[in-house]
């Protein structure tokens, strides 16, 4: 006797935070595919809603409670609606959320979502399961490759692939080592199989993800593989045309990875390499274990390997103890590097981290520093974008643009580029001459 096919139920996932959460949300949807769920973009028609949360900066839990408040009317309209909290807030504060929010039916951490089908069954029995373990088994060994049942779905041309999770660096401000656990690298052959599967389903560009992606050291034929070795093996897959990776730590930027930027054409000329601060004193207090000079030398070596490399970074202003001079050192470093784009944040004390114990910088000082830093970064971004005008770039088209007949995609340097030309099709990688630079995108003509 074959098992009865479960009725189709609808799953809505709201994803907060980093790209790793985006990847996890896709995999959660695939896992729940086995329980008869298909995804929907409309929360009001969902049978289950999952909030895949982020804990990196302040007010993380508050955001979850206010989102739960907004979901209450949906639950009132449909008492069978199940609501789950996933991700890093679930990991850090799941039990507390269960206590405070009776609308929540399940809590699942980032390391146990392969157990979602069993948890969903428990919810149907009237239980309220919480699973925030760091389990022995590797969740990825227990997740389906692609959606189960039915035809294997075509994928958008650009996809994420998590190759490494967790972090052993313990930067003094950061919750990741606590919510995501210690560094784990996935086996190389498993990743190659997953990448081939993605390419068969229409993917042309893969971004390799990890909290510390360049610390990758997964088991592979002949011993542990480095990220550079994995990239070279991926580059041999026919049909895969672009590879990126994020997020990296300066201390794990190895010789072979720098070399790959110079001689692996499928590795795109864009690198997100956070430095956080330009002051050696603050870098030390942050437990970053490198100096500003070390970072600048690294950038030089990378640019020697790949002169047109576009750099991105993360910065924190107002870390405990940051003086005006420390902040000026950050501004100097930014001027010395010349970023193509970057993210900057006001420091926020995260519970359980060493820096949270230290006396903070006044809020108005932080505001002022953030404004000044963001103005400088925005000017650098504009300059680099405008410098693309007149140049020929590769663009992988991803979706229709806002204007009739327009198609948008990403350039090699990760700029959004739009063209109006019927030859530009989703999934095609074409040469474009850039003719204009707008606030957040470039425009051009197919060659
Ligand atoms: N406060 C402010 N920014 C933070 N980040 C991480 N933790 C904090 C914090 N406590 C920033 C860092 C990191 C990025 C993902 O988020 O810049 O690189
Ligand atoms: Fe957090 Fe990144 Fe530092 Fe790890 S390296 S502790 S993820 S900021």
């Amino acid at each position: 006797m074959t098992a009865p096919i479960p009725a189709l139920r609808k799953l809505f996932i709201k994803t907060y935070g980093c790209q790793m959460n985006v990847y996890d949300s896709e995999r959660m949807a695939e896992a729940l595919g086995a329980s008869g769920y298909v995804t929907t973009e409309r929360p009001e028609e969902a049978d289950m809603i999952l909030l895949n949360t982020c804990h990196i900066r302040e007010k993380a839990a508050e955001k979850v409670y206010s989102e739960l408040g907004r979901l209450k009317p949906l639950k009132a309209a449909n008492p069978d609606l199940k609501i789950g909290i996933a991700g890093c807030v679930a990991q850090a504060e799941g039990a507390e959320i269960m206590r405070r929010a009776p609308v929540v039916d399940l809590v699942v951490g980032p390391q146990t979502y392969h157990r979602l089908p069993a948890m969903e069954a428990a919810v149907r029995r009237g239980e309220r399961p919480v699973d925030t373990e760091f389990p022995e088994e590797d969740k990825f060994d227990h997740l389906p490759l692609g959606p189960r049942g039915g035809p294997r779905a075509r994928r958008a041309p650009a996809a994420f692939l998590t190759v490494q999770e967790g972090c052993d660096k313990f930067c003094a401000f950061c919750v990741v080592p606590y919510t995501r656990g210690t560094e784990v690298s996935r086996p190389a052959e498993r990743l190659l199989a997953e990448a081939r599967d993605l390419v068969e389903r229409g993917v042309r560009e893969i971004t390799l993800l990890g909290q510390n992606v360049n610390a990758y050291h997964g088991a592979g034929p002949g011993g542990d593989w480095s990220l550079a070795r994995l990239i070279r093996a991926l580059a041999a897959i026919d049909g895969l045309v672009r590879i990126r990776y994020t997020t990296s730590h300066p201390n794990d930027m190895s010789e072979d990875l720098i070399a790959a930027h110079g001689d692996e054409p499928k590795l795109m000329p864009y690198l997100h390499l956070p430095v956080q601060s330009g002051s050696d004193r603050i870098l030390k207090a942050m437990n970053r274990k490198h100096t500003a000079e070390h970072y600048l030398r690294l950038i030089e070596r990378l640019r020697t390997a790949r002169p047109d490399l576009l750099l991105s970074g993360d910065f924190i202003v107002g870390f405990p103890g940051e003086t005006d001079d420390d902040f000026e050192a950050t501004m100097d470093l930014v001027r010395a590097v010349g970023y193509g784009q970057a993210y900057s944040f006001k420091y926020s004390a995260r519970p359980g981290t060493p820096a949270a114990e230290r006396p903070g910088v006044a809020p108005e000082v932080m505001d002022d520093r953030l404004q000044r830093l963001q103005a400088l970064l925005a000017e650098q971004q504009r300059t680099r974008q405008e410098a693309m005008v007149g140049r020929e770039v590769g663009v992988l088209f991803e979706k229709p643009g806002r204007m009739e007949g327009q198609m948008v995609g990403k350039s090699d340097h990760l700029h959004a580029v739009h063209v109006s030309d019927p030859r530009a099709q989703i999934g095609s990688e074409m040469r474009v001459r850039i003719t204009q630079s707008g606030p957040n995108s470039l425009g051009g003509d197919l060659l």
Side-chain angles (χ1 to χ4, degrees):
M1 223 181 78
T2 50
I5 297 169
L8 280 190
R9 299 195 193 108
K10 295 205 169 144
L11 170 67
F12 174 80
I13 306 185
K14 180 160 179 173
T15 307
Y16 300 80
C18 67
Q19 292 144 325
M20 298 195 61
N21 265 10
V22 175
Y23 178 82
D24 287 344
S25 291
E26 286 169 2
R27 304 306 302 268
M28 285 193 249
E30 291 171 0
L32 281 169
S35 310
Y37 281 88
V38 293
T39 51
T40 174
E41 298 298 311
R42 291 157 40 88
E44 58 282 4
E45 64 171 31
D47 301 287
M48 173 168 304
I49 294 179
L50 286 179
L51 304 181
N52 192 9
T53 60
C54 171
H55 204 236
I56 195 94
R57 279 174 297 275
E58 67 192 335
K59 304 208 178 86
E62 286 90 328
K63 276 188 207 151
V64 173
Y65 289 116
S66 52
E67 184 64 28
L68 286 171
R70 282 193 287 278
L71 293 179
K72 262 194 197 141
L74 294 186
K75 187 112 172 176
N78 171 15
D80 285 338
L81 170 66
K82 308 297 177 199
I83 297 179
I85 308 294
C88 293
V89 178
Q91 186 66 39
E93 304 184 41
E96 168 75 12
I97 293 173
M98 251 327 179
R99 260 196 308 277
R100 272 183 55 187
V103 294
V104 174
D105 298 289
L106 75 89
V107 165
V108 62
Q111 299 311 331
T112 46
Y113 62 74
H114 57 299
R115 298 174 180 165
L116 268 172
M119 295 178 77
E120 192 269 348
V123 169
R124 303 244 151 240
R125 293 193 301 271
E127 296 168 29
R128 297 176 78 216
V130 175
D131 192 343
T132 51
E133 250 186 39
F134 286 104
E136 286 292 305
E137 77 274 12
D138 178 353
K139 65 172 177 271
F140 294 117
D141 291 341
H142 300 267
L143 285 165
L145 248 193
R148 270 203 199 151
R152 284 157 77 245
R154 287 288 290 177
R155 295 285 310 250
F160 295 131
L161 174 55
T162 293
V163 305
Q164 180 279 330
E165 284 193 289
C167 181
D168 297 339
K169 296 279 190 298
F170 290 93
C171 298
F173 51 80
C174 184
V175 284
V176 166
Y178 310 97
T179 55
R180 289 269 175 169
T182 53
E183 268 175 26
V184 179
S185 296
R186 299 179 61 194
E189 282 178 321
R190 174 92 199 192
L191 294 169
L192 291 169
E194 210 178 302
R196 279 188 217 103
D197 177 73
L198 289 171
V199 172
E200 277 168 25
R201 288 154 64 200
V203 168
R204 317 290 310 278
E205 167 177 320
I206 294 182
T207 301
L208 308 176
L209 301 180
Q211 257 98 29
N212 229 306
V213 71
N214 57 342
Y216 176 81
H217 56 273
D224 273 6
W225 281 27
S226 65
L227 185 68
R229 181 144 183 211
L230 180 67
I231 287 169
R232 293 192 193 274
L234 287 164
I237 298 175
D238 277 342
L240 181 64
V241 295
R242 292 168 149 195
I243 301 169
R244 307 179 190 275
Y245 63 92
T246 195
T247 284
S248 299
H249 193 289
N251 289 355
D252 291 315
M253 218 58 226
S254 58
E255 204 58 60
D256 61 344
L257 190 54
I258 296 172
H261 277 282
D263 60 23
E264 180 43 68
K266 289 187 183 180
L267 183 57
M268 290 293 102
Y270 176 95
L271 179 62
H272 182 64
L273 192 63
V275 63
Q276 316 294 353
S277 168
S279 151
D280 288 345
R281 221 175 56 79
I282 294 299
L283 287 168
K284 190 152 197 282
M286 286 177 164
N287 193 31
R288 293 289 293 183
K289 300 201 170 80
H290 64 76
T291 61
E293 184 55 32
H294 168 257
Y295 181 82
L296 291 172
R297 272 207 311 272
L298 186 58
I299 301 294
E300 246 173 56
R301 282 162 63 209
L302 281 157
R303 281 186 167 147
T304 305
R306 181 79 204 227
D308 69 337
L309 189 70
L310 200 89
L311 282 152
S312 165
D314 289 339
F315 296 90
I316 296 178
V317 300
F319 185 79
E322 186 187 68
T323 62
D324 285 341
D325 283 352
D326 293 321
F327 174 68
E328 291 308 329
T330 298
M331 296 289 278
D332 288 344
L333 178 139
V334 170
R335 284 185 204 101
V337 172
Y339 287 90
Q341 76 103 47
Y343 305 92
S344 48
F345 314 99
K346 282 189 268 186
Y347 168 74
S348 81
R350 307 307 295 130
T353 58
E357 312 292 314
R358 305 175 196 164
V361 169
E364 59 279 11
V365 175
M366 281 209 221
D367 286 337
D368 178 63
R369 288 179 189 167
L370 187 68
Q371 264 187 28
R372 286 184 52 208
L373 176 59
Q374 290 190 335
L376 175 59
L377 290 168
E379 182 199 310
Q380 292 194 339
Q381 174 169 345
R382 198 175 46 249
T383 311
R384 266 154 196 79
Q385 231 181 263
E386 280 165 4
M388 302 308 292
V389 175
R391 280 178 62 179
E392 235 181 68
V393 300
V395 176
L396 175 63
F397 290 101
E398 294 183 17
K399 58 184 183 207
R402 254 179 297 172
M403 312 282 204
E404 180 74 25
Q406 222 180 37
M407 197 57 94
V408 289
K410 293 279 163 52
S411 75
D412 302 339
H413 296 94
L414 211 57
H415 287 124
V417 177
H418 53 86
V419 305
S420 293
D421 190 317
R423 289 174 298 163
Q425 296 291 318
I426 292 177
S428 59
E429 207 247 356
M430 304 177 93
R431 304 297 296 169
V432 172
R433 180 173 310 283
I434 301 300
T435 54
Q436 49 172 301
S437 169
N440 283 308
S441 67
L442 300 169
D445 300 321
L446 288 188
L447 287 173

